[in-house]
Amino acid sequence: MRAAAVELGQLLLALDATMVSVRAAPRGLDLPVASAALIDSDDVRLGLATAANSADVFFLLGITDDQALRWLGEQADPPVAIFVKEPTSNLVDRAVAAGSAVVAVEPRARWERVYRLVDHVLEHHVDPAADDAGTDLFGLAQSLAERIHGMVSIEDAQSHVLAYSASNEEADDLRRLSILGRAGPPEHLAWIGQWGIFDALRAGSQVVRVAERPELGLRPRLAIGIHQPPAGARRPPVFVGTIWVQEGSQPLAQDAEDMLRGAAVLAERIMSRLSARPSGQARRVQQLLGLIDGDHTEVSVLARELGLPAGGDAAVIGWESVLPSDRNVRLADVIALGANAFRRDAQVAAGGTRIYVLLPQIATTRSVTSWARGTISALRAELDVQLRAVVAAPVAGLAGVAAARAEVDRVLDSAARHPDSLGPVASLTEARTTVLLDEIVSRIGADPRLVDPRIRDLRESDPQLAETLRVYLDSFGDIAAAAHGLQVHPNTVRYRVRRIEKLLSTSLSDPDVRLLFSLGLRAT
């Protein structure tokens, strides 16, 4: 198999310590891997083993130590890595001398499972800089795990594991064996089946709780079925898989069930894209939001391709980190979880460091603002991520979302310059005065010719008088209010104002002078 390259370290992180461990990496873990091949003992015995330059990594199946050593010695160019069950020290030494990494595969792992997972990672690896994101089940599993503090696995309708999050020492046997491609212990599967859990997952979209069974070594779980929307109005949804979340010693997040419902929506979208392989879904959302130029496709066409109604009021929410967490959080995925739990038709796109959520056909703007506040509160509590959100709503149809997104960016730009000027959630209407004034002052400050030189001189020669002038102007010439703000006697303010007028050779009773000085003071 050959696909887009992914670094060896990224590949191993996706497979997780449950499946593999690194024994040696003489050239590091940042080498690109774009292809993999299988070699068995007959290939070596009959001289049919694939040359190393035809693949980046190799799986050595049932090959003796002597055969593996001979095969390595025959390679003119060393492979990036070899995957072996229980590699010997001789093989590790020979591989290191050749410059190849040695990856030990868990002995209980099925080779077809290892190969399938590597194939999935290589085929669907998403470059963060690429436009067509949203096809990474491993990324979704890890984001959900970090968000709700559990261990996540995503399976297809036949209970084959497609992706999973990182495991720890609290993973139980059922999780470990499922990841390795082995059937779970019969008593575990019989118990799960006995309580109708599989039937419940196939029948509906509700979260199913699976209680702990200490006598079987089973930790508590949450699960939800992944369902495709019906092809026809009278047909039921199609069951296509399951998301399992095993709980460890840390309790799951309070809104874990909501996040799991959002994850089921995203998983269905990803699985549908991977099976149908349509191109550019995320790019279409970015075009709709005006984040990329695209091919000038009409909004009606974009809406049809995304399955969205072009008319009706919509909402655009822009998100940006205020104080990012020290943890490696995939913010776009985490916000997408919440957005699709809130609305199945929510569309999420990234633009630089910002994340945008598009909600078509909103009923009330109040519910959108409430959801944004709840999301910010939950992410601060669960992931220690502090966000700011700006809501543009209502927007008249999808044709207006690009302009609304640009207005959202203006507010976020202003908030970045003045973090205390806006609250954690702001609407365009609430922010309009703050943003316009900030943009005017920023442009004045960027051009020295637009600031009265008397203001610059006053700031440099007498900062106390400059501050008095600023407070006096902000108080609309009210001596008592200015004195209160400066915490001085009113007569002191009167004396300072007379000094200012004398120094600047002007009268502060002139409204044009007051406007000019006020803007100059803000700009400097």
Side-chain angles (χ1 to χ4, degrees):
M1 56 182 171
R2 181 165 292 276
V6 57
E7 290 183 0
L8 177 61
Q10 292 176 301
L11 176 62
L12 299 180
L13 280 175
L15 295 177
D16 188 52
T18 302
M19 182 77 75
V20 297
S21 61
V22 181
R23 290 295 177 84
R27 292 187 286 166
L29 297 177
D30 56 355
L31 295 177
V33 176
S35 57
L38 298 167
I39 296 179
D40 61 25
S41 58
D42 287 339
D43 292 331
V44 177
R45 181 174 58 83
L46 299 174
L48 302 175
T50 309
N53 58 12
S54 65
D56 297 318
V57 298
F58 288 85
F59 304 97
L60 307 187
L61 283 65
I63 294 180
T64 67
D65 203 41
D66 288 341
Q67 289 175 322
L69 291 170
R70 186 168 71 252
W71 177 78
L72 265 177
E74 293 171 351
Q75 306 309 311
D77 298 314
V80 172
I82 57 174
F83 286 64
V84 190
K85 290 186 178 182
E86 300 179 312
T88 65
S89 57
N90 285 340
L91 181 57
V92 173
D93 292 343
R94 176 66 64 84
V96 168
S100 297
V102 179
V103 180
V105 178
E106 160 64 41
R108 293 179 296 175
R110 299 182 65 91
W111 277 113
E112 65 267 25
R113 172 57 53 81
V114 182
Y115 188 82
R116 181 186 302 163
L117 288 171
V118 171
D119 180 41
H120 179 88
V121 174
L122 295 182
E123 284 292 326
H124 308 303
H125 165 64
V126 177
D127 184 345
D131 291 329
D132 192 13
T135 57
D136 185 1
L137 283 175
F138 277 94
L140 173 62
Q142 188 61 39
S143 294
L144 179 62
E146 292 173 351
R147 173 64 175 79
I148 66 175
H149 316 307
M151 286 173 277
V152 176
S153 57
I154 302 174
E155 300 179 353
D156 63 16
Q158 290 73 44
S159 298
H160 297 143
V161 176
L162 301 175
Y164 49 89
S165 66
S167 300
N168 57 35
E169 65 277 0
E170 297 176 340
D172 60 19
D173 281 345
L174 184 58
R175 174 178 171 84
R176 285 193 295 267
L177 292 173
S178 297
I179 290 174
L180 295 173
R182 302 291 179 180
E187 60 271 22
H188 292 184
L189 299 179
W191 175 72
I192 291 176
Q194 175 185 351
W195 288 92
I197 293 170
F198 290 128
D199 292 337
L201 292 171
R202 286 172 168 79
S205 58
Q206 297 303 309
V207 176
V208 177
R209 287 190 171 269
V210 183
E212 183 176 19
R213 291 296 298 268
E215 71 276 14
L216 297 179
L218 274 177
R219 303 283 300 179
R221 280 171 165 74
L222 294 182
I224 190 170
I226 304 169
H227 294 84
Q228 268 184 353
R234 297 184 179 181
R235 296 184 180 180
V238 180
F239 175 76
V240 295
T242 307
I243 302 178
W244 295 90
V245 181
Q246 184 209 309
E247 185 175 344
S249 58
Q250 181 181 6
L252 297 179
Q254 291 185 352
D255 57 355
E257 293 193 13
D258 285 341
M259 295 300 100
L260 201 52
R261 281 189 281 270
V265 175
L266 291 176
E268 184 278 322
R269 288 184 185 175
I270 293 172
M271 293 166 71
S272 295
R273 291 172 202 151
L274 295 182
S275 60
R277 298 291 178 90
S279 62
Q281 192 273 349
R283 185 181 179 85
R284 291 310 193 199
V285 179
Q286 289 177 319
Q287 284 181 260
L288 202 55
L289 290 166
L291 294 169
I292 57 176
D293 292 335
D295 52 7
H296 306 293
T297 307
E298 292 184 2
V299 169
S300 59
V301 175
L302 294 174
R304 186 167 61 252
E305 291 183 359
L306 292 169
L308 303 176
D313 288 341
V316 176
I317 307 102
W319 307 79
E320 189 166 43
S321 294
V322 179
L323 291 173
S325 170
D326 292 334
R327 299 171 60 183
N328 183 21
V329 178
R330 295 167 62 106
L331 189 57
D333 287 346
V334 172
I335 289 178
L337 287 172
N340 284 277
F342 176 61
R343 285 275 299 271
R344 285 187 63 91
D345 55 357
Q347 305 293 320
V348 181
T353 60
R354 293 171 182 169
I355 312 299
Y356 304 91
V357 175
L358 167 61
L359 300 173
Q361 291 200 312
I362 59 166
T364 63
T365 58
R366 182 179 300 175
S367 63
V368 175
T369 303
S370 176
W371 169 71
R373 293 187 187 280
T375 299
I376 288 175
S377 177
L379 292 186
R380 183 188 298 116
E382 302 296 345
L383 297 179
D384 193 29
V385 174
Q386 295 190 41
L387 298 177
R388 177 182 291 111
V390 176
V391 179
V395 179
L398 297 187
V401 300
R405 192 274 311 160
E407 292 299 307
V408 165
D409 276 347
R410 289 177 63 189
V411 180
L412 290 172
D413 289 341
S414 177
R417 290 189 291 266
H418 307 283
D420 298 329
S421 62
L422 296 170
V425 179
S427 69
L428 293 186
T429 302
E430 294 169 339
R432 182 169 291 116
T433 299
T434 301
V435 171
L436 286 173
L437 181 58
D438 171 57
E439 290 179 343
I440 291 169
V441 170
S442 295
R443 293 192 181 188
I444 292 172
D447 189 344
R449 298 173 303 170
L450 298 180
V451 177
D452 192 310
R454 291 175 293 179
I455 294 298
R456 295 190 185 277
D457 292 342
L458 184 65
R459 277 210 178 275
E460 293 175 4
S461 63
D462 197 330
Q464 185 184 68
L465 285 184
E467 179 63 10
T468 299
L469 177 59
R470 184 191 67 80
V471 175
Y472 174 77
L473 293 174
D474 286 350
S475 303
F476 304 101
D478 186 325
I479 294 292
H484 179 75
L486 292 167
Q487 295 185 332
V488 297
H489 194 276
N491 286 339
T492 302
V493 176
R494 293 188 181 94
Y495 168 72
R496 291 179 183 176
V497 168
R498 288 195 296 270
R499 282 191 61 199
I500 291 169
E501 290 181 321
K502 184 175 181 180
L503 283 171
L504 303 186
S505 302
T506 190
S507 170
L508 294 180
S509 62
D510 186 331
D512 291 341
V513 170
R514 292 199 300 270
L515 175 61
L516 182 64
F517 284 1
S518 181
L519 291 174
L521 286 164
R522 290 175 181 272
T524 55

